[in-house]
Amino acid sequence: MTKYVYDFAEGNKDLKDLLGGKGANLAEMVRIGLPVPPGFTITTEACRGYLAAGSPPAELAEQVGAHLAALEQTMSRRLGDPADPLLVSVRSGAKFSMPGMMETVLNVGLTDASVHGLAARSGNERFAWDSYRRLIQMFGKTVCDVPGDAFEHALDQVKGQRADVELDAAELRGLVDTFKAIFAEHTGREFPQDPREQLRLAVNAVFESWNAERAVLYRRQERIPADLGTAVNIVAMVFGNLGPDSGTGVAFTRDPATGARGVYGDYLANAQGEDVVAGIRNTVPLQELEHLDKKSFDELMEIMSTLEGHYRDLCDIEFTIEAGKLWMLQTRVGKRTAAAAFIIASQLVDEGMIDLDEALRRQSGARLAQLMFPTFDAAAVDKPIAKGIAASPGAAVGHVVFDSAQAAERAAKGEKVILVRRETNPDDLPGMIAAQGILTSRGGKTSHAAVVARGMGKTCVCGAESVEVDVAGRRFTVGDVTVGEGDLISIDGTSGAIYLGEVPVEPSPVVRYFDGELSADADTLVTAVHRMLVHADQRRRMAVRANADTGSDAARARRFGAQGIGLCRTEHMFLGERRAMVERLILADGPTEQQQALDALLPLQRDDFVEILRAMDGLPVTIRLIDPPLHEFLPPLEELAVEVATAKEPDPHRQALLAAVHRMHEQNPMLGLRGVRLGLVIPGLFGMQVRAIAQAAAKVRAEGGDARPEIMVPLVGAVQELEAVRADAERILAEEGMAGTPIGTMIEVPRAALTAGQIAEAADFFSFGTNDLTQMGWGFSRDDVEGSFFSRYLELGVFGVSPFETLDRDGIGRLVRIAVQEGRQVRPDLKIGVCGEHGGDPESVRFFHEAGLDYVSCSPFRVPVARLEAGRAVL
């Protein structure tokens, strides 16, 4: 027979999978001799059985009955005894803390008969009726879906302007009658008078709350598996609402907001635990308990010290004082802010409780990322005028502009701007770089604006549907609010909120440290972050590089700890004023004109590469040859067609350009003439880029520098493609005195991953382009997915998280593992990295470590995150 029920004395803190976090920790407190009310735990296995079958496992009722009998014997009371009733609480408790997401019912066992016995035994009639009305209210709302507002309205009518503790016994007895009538009205039945029925229904309700909407949403947000289930804890009631010498509270062994040592928490006299959470009355600081009940306060301080020493971490504690007797109702490793997480871990190392390995294990890249974004001063925030999708965290304030040119022009004059667009495209890059933040009315977390903004560490709010953007009118509207160009707004990339005017911003000291503006010992937080990163660097096996396209980006990446450039995109170098040269290349009449166009582009490309190679002196720089379709560097077909059709005078150049755009237009350019295909179809294009790289490296070396370029060929799907490009590239490199420069490829086409053994014969290195690999592997566009079916897929559980945010281990991850294994079978010394968005995602970084990659590459802003996670992956 499966054991579904455990007494507290049978468990310990390591049984969280079976007993849930609350049950395991209650058992642990019993094990170390702390004052815990007697009780037992129904396992998560029972919950899973209930949810699968729609009813409890057959053996559960008998096992609960046996443990309830033992509890009654321990307490010398019986559940429902009219003379001296045992009351119990029924509380949820999943493996991972989900505060407030599932159900709790207190005072189970009270009935019309036993309420009188409780009053007589306690000598406090008011307390008895207060406990009964609480049971009906919680049971009705939690177990029977009676609207909570119905009970609250009735309570407010009786209270008036008084606090609940000012209600007398007669008023509370009348309120019980009212609550029972409300219960009957909404359920069609009387409030159950069988205590065991109350218990059975309450347990079932806790099981069912695992799949409540708020619980599902919370799990999705926190990435908690949906198949764990919750345990249920049945605990003998202790009463904080017995009078002024009783109460309930929450305590933390350190400040969960700042990490500071001290006494932190809240206490509420003459109350039950739910009152603290519900905020029905103002609590007092925990320190006040010393004056109210010094004996209990001193005992609590001793217990807090014991628990922190035992768990070697910040502990979150719930307690009740019943007539001067302290009882511990819960403890857990407490949730904390990102700053407190680093500070507390560093403190615990200094105190000898944990070592640096354990301190590093307790951190996360997600927390570090939070610390790197500026935030708004919460005290100065007004109601937002609109909300969008929080696409890239941070706080940005600036004057509204509606195009890239205005953004760049105003920023050059020292003005802070927010670029507002319906959606962005590659042409907007200069404006995005210049702006403090980006706001779009369309798109989601994987839209162009979001991806680029995250890569640059820019604040971004996308998909603000209520924002009507009128580019021609140079304004946007939200309802009856109109915001014109030049008006000041503030956007919060953490919450998605949009505010009128300037909201004060608090800068991040962590970013100032990485940028060299603060020393490692500048303040407590910076010191803790520095300490963890230094240790992560000592532990990690993988190198961390950066994706950077300019010298300034490369220099910043180096300050942030990058060990080279894993992806330098060359397509951004063809925008702006260089578009005219691209047009010359496309419109070239024969090989001579084509070569002239390439010759004009070469020195510009060379100078770009010189700047980056200087910034990364002594470190590898992987330069990707042009990847997007060439027509992306030309005017949009529709706009150009309208321009030519409506021109007053014929323009032969624009007409020829339109013909070229027509000729090159593709229905799905991401699966068309791009990457290596473009390099093979347009003779000399890749050759020009290779020559520019070689000449730039030679120039830097001639200056005494140590240039280490690597040439990466994009979108290869067959080894023959790479062989053709490599033959021409090696010839050019030899001509420029750069023979031996590594030549490799991106693995971004599924076929490349599946034929990696063949491709490795012609490649010095692989770099996974996981953005395209995910896109082609799943068969959907990252630009379109969120606006179409993505949210529905999240609701259905098809995705736990966007596969563009965190690598899909089962599918795309398998392609990565195949390519690594087969590539290294052919070439054991094959260097392998990743340069897609996943290179900076904490969970994905851990996967890449497991898969055996040599390095990850990500945006400069995410380099510290990747460093931290690469170190944690080893541990």
Side-chain angles (χ1 to χ4, degrees), residues 240-263:
N241 59 329
L242 262 174
D245 61 348
S246 303
T248 188
V250 176
F252 298 90
T253 56
R254 302 180 192 229
D255 187 342
T258 66
R261 300 176 181 89
V263 179

Side-chain angles (χ1 to χ4, degrees), residues 508-531 534:
S508 163
V510 175
V511 170
R512 292 176 61 199
Y513 154 67
F514 288 129
D515 272 330
E517 298 175 14
L518 294 177
S519 65
D521 59 356
D523 69 19
T524 306
L525 174 59
V526 167
T527 301
V529 169
H530 169 80
R531 188 179 195 180
V534 167

Side-chain angles (χ1 to χ4, degrees), residues 80-83 85 109-118 129 132 193:
D81 183 352
L110 270 179
T111 64
D112 291 351
S114 63
V115 67
H116 297 287
L118 182 64
W129 289 105
Y132 197 16
Q193 296 298 309

